[in-house]
Amino acid sequence: MTKIYMNDFQTEQLFSIIRWLFLAISAALFYLEPFSSQLNFNTNTFFYLIVFAFCYMFMTQVFLFFRLKRERIQRNIMKFGIICDYIAIMWLIALSGGIESPFVPVVFLLIMHATIYWSVKGLSFSIVASALGYAAIGIGLEQFYQFSLVWEFAFNTMFFIIIGFFAGVLAYRERLHYQDKMNYQDQSLKDYVTDLYNHRSFQNTLEKLTSTQKNISMMMIDIDDFKQVNDRFGHTLGDQVLYTLGNTFKTNLPKSQGYCFRYGGEEFSIILFETEKSALEKQIKNWNQHFEQSVQMIPELKDYQITLSYGVTKYQSTDTKQSMLKRADRNLYYAKENGKNRAVFDETFER
């Protein structure tokens, strides 16, 4: 049986659809015949509730549409939406009969939503807040003077706690399953030694970027005479050198500027969104300096120099993944054959 996993964006899309659905249903029950006359809900402030709900729902929908790259801001906006959901639901319950409101079960969705974003704290807080809000509505509408409503309030509150707890736990468990799945997937795309993305990931990324004609440049990098390092110091220290170079690329290349990969063996590859030769030369110089300083901090290599060779090319409108890779590999070969410890740029940077 296929398991369905939803990431943050997909989950928020689902809750956004549910919000709009309940808004439409609520408006129909309050304003359309024969529902409005039979239910006889309080419409005094319902119009303001509609305006409030539409405004925050529209705002969250805009952020969902544009999918902000700043994940922290987007998550904070989504959490703000949950708080607005709480206000809207309690407001709706108060207008539609209070303790007897047919919208009381909607509270369970609120609890699940809060659990997804705030984990166990969200589960506990949402249950307590829902129970207190429900009680405040009953007190405000003076419904606790009716014995039958007191029992209905008690049973509903009990179900808030019991069903809300189990629903929240299920949502939380599903969240953990999804996170585990993402961790396993991430591990399958990463190299164990360097913690960079691996050869498969490089091929997929380059294929995607060349097929969409992105303005990119690409480097193939090789550690000069790496076999001598392994032969002289052993493979354990050789792995340490590989990790040091991988860490150099990760810490000196923001994710917004490109991707780093271990191509295989002592070869690395980098895809960048920068295509100016002077900027790339400056970046290479920065990497070399950082790598040299990091290698010198390894006691066995304190007096041992390890250099890097680069083959650099830039995307052309007629390029495929294979043509770009072939040019970069050729440039790296020229760098190795002409003294090593250098970067060779091809003719694409002269056009």
Side-chain angles (χ1 to χ4, degrees):
M1 184 174 64
T2 303
K3 293 183 179 181
I4 300 176
Y5 294 97
M6 300 179 69
N7 58 28
D8 287 350
F9 180 73
Q10 293 168 333
T11 301
E12 198 57 44
Q13 280 184 319
L14 175 61
F15 277 105
S16 179
I17 294 172
I18 294 174
R19 283 184 183 124
W20 289 109
L21 178 62
F22 272 106
L23 183 65
I25 292 174
S26 301
L29 294 179
F30 272 79
Y31 290 133
L32 294 183
E33 293 291 348
F35 307 113
S36 58
S37 58
Q38 293 180 3
L39 296 173
N40 196 28
F41 289 156
N42 183 358
T43 59
N44 290 339
T45 61
F46 183 71
F47 174 76
Y48 300 105
L49 171 59
I50 290 287
V51 173
F52 168 76
F54 180 86
C55 288
Y56 86 81
M57 288 164 57
F58 179 77
M59 182 183 70
T60 56
Q61 194 69 53
V62 168
F63 282 102
L64 282 173
F65 180 79
F66 288 105
R67 293 195 68 171
L68 286 181
K69 292 183 178 180
R70 295 187 177 182
E71 183 179 348
R72 183 177 179 181
I73 296 178
Q74 181 162 310
R75 286 184 65 84
N76 287 336
I77 291 171
M78 299 314 167
K79 290 176 180 179
F80 172 74
I82 297 174
I83 297 174
C84 291
D85 284 342
Y86 173 78
I87 297 173
I89 291 172
M90 291 301 156
W91 193 345
L92 182 61
I93 290 174
L95 295 179
S96 58
I99 293 176
E100 299 179 291
S101 172
F103 293 103
V104 170
V106 181
V107 174
F108 299 131
L109 290 175
L110 173 70
I111 294 172
M112 293 180 66
H113 203 180
T115 303
I116 289 173
Y117 283 99
W118 284 306
S119 186
V120 177
K121 292 181 179 179
L123 171 63
S124 304
F125 178 79
S126 58
I127 290 176
V128 172
S130 298
L132 291 177
Y134 191 44
I137 292 172
I139 294 172
L141 297 178
E142 298 182 348
Q143 294 179 312
F144 287 121
Y145 293 106
Q146 301 180 45
F147 185 76
S148 61
L149 293 184
V150 172
W151 277 105
E152 185 171 350
F153 169 82
F155 276 110
N156 284 341
T157 303
M158 180 180 66
F159 279 110
F160 283 166
I161 298 173
I162 297 176
I163 298 180
F165 177 79
F166 280 103
V169 168
L170 289 174
Y172 179 61
R173 189 177 69 174
E174 180 68 13
R175 196 63 167 177
L176 290 179
H177 287 331
Y178 175 76
Q179 290 175 349
D180 289 341
K181 178 175 178 281
M182 291 296 101
N183 289 335
Y184 292 140
Q185 182 177 342
D186 192 53
Q187 290 174 7
S188 71
L189 295 175
K190 281 195 173 182
D191 172 63
Y192 176 77
V193 175
T194 63
D195 199 38
L196 296 180
Y197 286 104
N198 58 22
H199 184 95
R200 174 188 292 180
S201 181
F202 166 73
Q203 295 287 350
N204 293 339
T205 303
L206 186 60
E207 176 74 36
K208 181 179 179 179
L209 292 176
T210 53
S211 64
T212 55
Q213 297 187 342
K214 294 290 185 181
N215 193 28
I216 59 172
S217 57
M218 189 186 75
M219 298 180 181
M220 293 295 294
I221 304 111
D222 186 85
I223 302 176
D224 297 327
D225 302 316
F226 185 68
K227 185 177 183 301
Q228 295 180 14
V229 176
N230 280 329
D231 291 343
R232 180 173 176 180
F233 300 101
H235 287 82
T236 301
L237 193 136
D239 286 349
Q240 193 171 349
V241 172
L242 293 172
Y243 173 79
T244 299
L245 181 55
N247 188 62
T248 294
F249 292 142
K250 281 199 305 183
T251 55
N252 291 276
L253 182 66
K255 292 182 179 180
S256 60
Q257 296 180 15
Y259 308 103
C260 310
F261 310 86
R262 185 184 179 190
Y263 190 80
E266 68 269 27
E267 287 193 21
F268 293 75
S269 52
I270 299 180
I271 300 174
L272 302 104
F273 302 118
E274 176 62 66
T275 57
E276 291 294 329
K277 184 177 179 180
S278 59
L280 294 176
E281 289 175 331
K282 183 178 179 180
Q283 182 68 277
I284 289 173
K285 182 179 180 181
N286 181 44
W287 287 334
N288 288 342
Q289 291 176 346
H290 189 280
F291 178 61
E292 182 180 358
Q293 292 171 0
S294 299
V295 168
Q296 295 300 314
M297 295 178 66
I298 302 174
E300 296 88 343
L301 300 176
K302 184 176 181 181
D303 300 318
Y304 193 89
Q305 184 179 23
I306 302 178
T307 59
L308 305 172
S309 295
Y310 298 79
V312 192
T313 191
K314 182 168 65 173
Y315 175 80
Q316 301 296 292
S317 59
T318 57
D319 265 331
T320 63
K321 176 183 71 173
Q322 290 78 10
S323 61
M324 277 197 78
L325 187 55
K326 184 177 180 180
R327 283 202 312 272
D329 200 47
R330 181 194 64 192
N331 297 337
L332 177 60
Y333 174 80
Y334 288 158
K336 302 288 284 187
E337 288 296 307
N338 289 275
K340 305 176 183 177
N341 190 23
R342 65 191 62 218
V344 173
F345 292 75
D346 61 22
E347 67 280 357
T348 58
F349 289 91
E350 306 301 328
R351 297 174 185 173

